[in-house]
Amino acid sequence: MKKLEWLWDDDNKIEWIQTFIRIADKNGDTVPFILTDEQRRLVEGLAHQNIISKSRQLGCSVICAALSLRQCIIYPNTNSVLISHSQTSTNAVFDKLKQQFYSLPDWLRPDLIQNNRQALTFANGSSICCLTAGTKDIGRGSTLNGVVHMSEFAFWKDQERQLKAIMQSISSSATVIIESTSNGFNAYSSLFLQAKAGENAFKPFFFSWIDGRALFEDQYKKSVKLYKAQHNGHMLTPEEYDEEEQQLALAGMTPDQAVWRRDKISISSADAFRVEYPSTPEESFMSTGASVFDSRRITTLQAAIIEQQIQPINPKNISAIPTLLRTCLNNKSLKIWHLPKPGVKYYGGVDVAEGLGSNHDYSTIFVMDSDGRQVAEYRSNKIKPYQFADIVDALGRWYGKALMTVEKASGGHSVIERMRYEKGYMNMTKYKTYDEFKRTVWKVGFETNFKTKSIAVNDAREWFDKGLIDINSTDLLDEMRTFVAEDGGSFNAVTGSHDDLISALWLCIQGAKSGFWYPF
């Protein structure tokens, strides 16, 4: 009785499943359900609302079916729903659910009132429905208080409408699990990226193909056997890895996984592999050709930053800094990698937002030296434009009166006016215009339109690809992963992501390219 009481405790879900549920393995044998590391990590970390980005075939559906069974048995009058993107998948999930149900010990298995292709309904008032996401709203008029699993959500039709209907039906006791491989940029990718940034209520999980080796051991063995047969018994070694394989090895990829990966790529392509078997969430979302910046170079740079332990200078080690900037250091909105040096020219790009907080845009500053090395970065979405102007002024003066390039949009006008006419900051990017009397008129700031932004973004891409700029910010590199070229030719972050640091980057580069410098 003590053991049963212990198993019935919600903290011991994994032990309950491994004690009572049996599943069919890949050979068709019925064996105890022993969770993989990924399944265990998911169950141990589940919150009220969860979203999963993953590699293929990691066993999410089977663990969600087991969690549903446990919930419905332990708690009478529980309604769970397992939703798939196609009827074929729905049938497969229902078959797994029934197999698990009938594997339960006779004394534990509840009596069935209903057993059809749609649902299992138990005598204790609980039920588990297996449904297909189609054109009709799911969950409307119902109360879902058990496990709500949305499988391959990236492939659903009208994702936002369906999710809204389902979320209106769940109770506070429900466990919502959205799970999918990727299908480019859509509502699912936006939802996951927002969760990763802490901008919605979902808890994000990511399961890389590198970590999920338990489910692919047999495939690895076959690939290794084939590779050796083709290479006179020789096995691939880490010394023979290409550049991308070297980065994956840093993430934990082993030689047998590398051989299996090569095998998969030979059948499809490297891009297709990255979507089906991602090593990062952003990698799986990237549609071929959509990303502006080279994702491989981004990955290499991020790995180098980690390997070389490149970190911003500890604020305690920075002296003789203006009080205003000291406050920014302490609240972590300002990061400094290199201190100002006398006689060095510095350049800053400034993107101004309205300071509304939440998931709104950020006010950002990117500062580099004349060699293209990033020395500082500022990022906050809670600072008002008039306050931000003081920070831009202080940071620019601290870095030897740097040439500051401020975008003339939104609150940028306010920043320019305050810096120029109230604070007398003269070293700012200007552009020449002509009035109706054919007189030359110089205007301060950077005028952004479709043409100028296109040129500026492509300049930034060229500088990045050619290694003309040394980026130290992982936040900026993360933004570069989800910055895409849209069909109409415009450049933007995908929905749910930000590109404010990228804007500061290309503004900085435009200032450096202008050739102007105004000593004061």
Side-chain angles (χ1 to χ4, degrees), residues 28 65 100 107 115 129 160 190 221 233 276 375 391 410 475:
Q100 291 185 20
W107 64 267
N115 175 10
C129 293
E160 295 180 79
S190 298
K221 291 176 182 178
E276 297 290 330
V375 297
I391 293 171
S410 185
D475 289 332

Side-chain angles (χ1 to χ4, degrees), residues 356-421:
L356 301 176
S358 186
N359 61 345
H360 291 88
D361 289 343
Y362 288 77
S363 288
T364 56
I365 309 172
F366 178 93
V367 185
M368 70 178 186
D369 62 21
S370 55
D371 291 328
R373 180 177 60 172
Q374 183 182 11
V375 297
E377 171 184 284
Y378 178 88
R379 183 175 186 260
S380 172
N381 65 355
K382 297 178 181 178
I383 189 83
K384 296 178 175 61
Y386 70 87
Q387 297 170 321
F388 186 48
D390 296 339
I391 293 171
V392 177
D393 176 76
L395 191 61
R397 291 179 187 275
W398 196 53
Y399 275 101
K401 299 177 180 177
L403 177 70
M404 306 303 281
T405 305
V406 184
E407 184 181 16
K408 294 182 68 174
S410 185
H413 297 281
S414 174
V415 171
I416 291 170
E417 290 292 314
R418 189 176 180 90
M419 286 183 64
R420 185 72 166 185
Y421 301 110

Side-chain angles (χ1 to χ4, degrees), residues 27-158:
N27 297 321
D29 299 324
T30 303
V31 297
F33 188 176
I34 304 301
L35 276 62
T36 64
D37 290 342
E38 291 72 34
Q39 291 168 337
R40 181 179 290 272
R41 203 168 99 215
L42 174 62
V43 175
E44 290 176 342
L46 280 174
H48 173 46
Q49 295 177 196
N50 310 272
I51 185 166
I52 304 167
S53 173
K54 65 180 185 65
S55 174
R56 290 187 63 208
Q57 301 173 338
L58 290 185
C60 283
S61 294
V62 68
I63 189 60
C64 286
L67 287 169
S68 301
L69 273 175
R70 179 192 175 277
Q71 194 79 359
C72 288
I73 290 171
I74 290 180
Y75 297 101
N77 302 309
T78 294
N79 295 319
S80 292
V81 60
L82 309 177
I83 312 167
S84 301
H85 69 294
S86 68
Q87 188 59 52
T88 300
S89 296
T90 302
N91 294 342
V93 169
F94 192 66
D95 288 341
K96 292 176 184 176
L97 176 66
K98 287 198 298 183
Q99 185 274 317
Q100 291 185 20
F101 174 76
Y102 285 111
S103 77
L104 294 169
D106 293 340
W107 64 267
L108 177 62
R109 189 187 317 120
D111 293 333
L112 281 175
I113 295 176
Q114 183 181 7
N115 175 10
N116 57 27
R117 294 304 296 178
Q118 292 289 326
L120 296 179
T121 303
F122 309 132
N124 68 353
S126 295
S127 68
I128 306 174
C129 293
C130 295
L131 304 176
T132 302
T135 56
K136 294 182 179 180
D137 289 351
I138 294 174
R140 194 172 294 279
S142 304
T143 299
L144 304 175
N145 57 357
V147 174
V148 180
H149 176 216
M150 294 172 249
S151 177
E152 293 297 352
F153 187 71
F155 296 86
W156 286 25
K157 298 177 181 177
D158 205 349

Side-chain angles (χ1 to χ4, degrees), residues 479-492:
E479 284 193 5
M480 294 170 84
R481 285 187 178 279
T482 54
F483 190 67
V484 298
E486 298 178 342
D487 291 340
S490 60
F491 299 100
N492 291 293

Side-chain angles (χ1 to χ4, degrees), residues 9 11 21 99 195 212 320 339 348 395 439 460 495 518:
D9 191 292
D11 289 336
I21 293 181
Q99 185 274 317
L339 298 173
L395 191 61
R439 293 175 301 195
T495 304
Y518 308 96

Side-chain angles (χ1 to χ4, degrees), residues 234-385:
H234 171 73
M235 177 55 183
L236 180 70
T237 64
E239 290 72 26
E240 300 171 287
Y241 287 169
D242 61 29
E243 184 177 340
E244 187 171 2
E245 288 170 338
Q246 290 172 10
Q247 298 305 319
L248 292 172
L250 293 175
M253 183 186 73
T254 57
D256 60 340
Q257 288 180 312
V259 168
W260 174 79
R261 177 179 175 273
R262 288 188 179 188
D263 197 13
K264 288 285 185 182
I265 290 174
S266 69
I267 297 172
S268 55
S269 69
D271 286 331
F273 182 88
R274 294 186 193 105
V275 172
E276 297 290 330
Y277 303 98
S279 57
T280 67
E282 293 81 5
E283 182 179 77
S284 68
F285 297 144
M286 299 311 300
S287 302
T288 303
S291 179
V292 172
F293 297 99
D294 186 343
S295 60
R296 294 185 189 181
R297 184 171 178 80
I298 293 170
T299 300
T300 303
L301 282 171
Q302 288 184 319
I305 288 171
I306 295 171
E307 185 178 358
Q308 298 174 28
Q309 297 182 339
I310 297 173
Q311 297 286 340
I313 301 172
N314 189 318
K316 295 179 181 178
N317 298 327
I318 300 176
S319 59
I321 187 172
T323 303
L324 178 59
L325 298 183
R326 171 70 65 186
T327 302
C328 297
L329 283 174
N330 292 338
N331 65 28
K332 299 183 180 179
S333 56
L334 175 63
K335 297 177 181 178
I336 294 172
W337 288 272
H338 300 282
L339 298 173
K341 292 183 178 180
V344 175
K345 286 186 177 181
Y346 293 96
Y347 301 85
V350 182
D351 184 38
V352 188
E354 296 297 339
L356 301 176
S358 186
N359 61 345
H360 291 88
D361 289 343
Y362 288 77
S363 288
T364 56
I365 309 172
F366 178 93
V367 185
M368 70 178 186
D369 62 21
S370 55
D371 291 328
R373 180 177 60 172
Q374 183 182 11
V375 297
E377 171 184 284
Y378 178 88
R379 183 175 186 260
S380 172
N381 65 355
K382 297 178 181 178
I383 189 83
K384 296 178 175 61

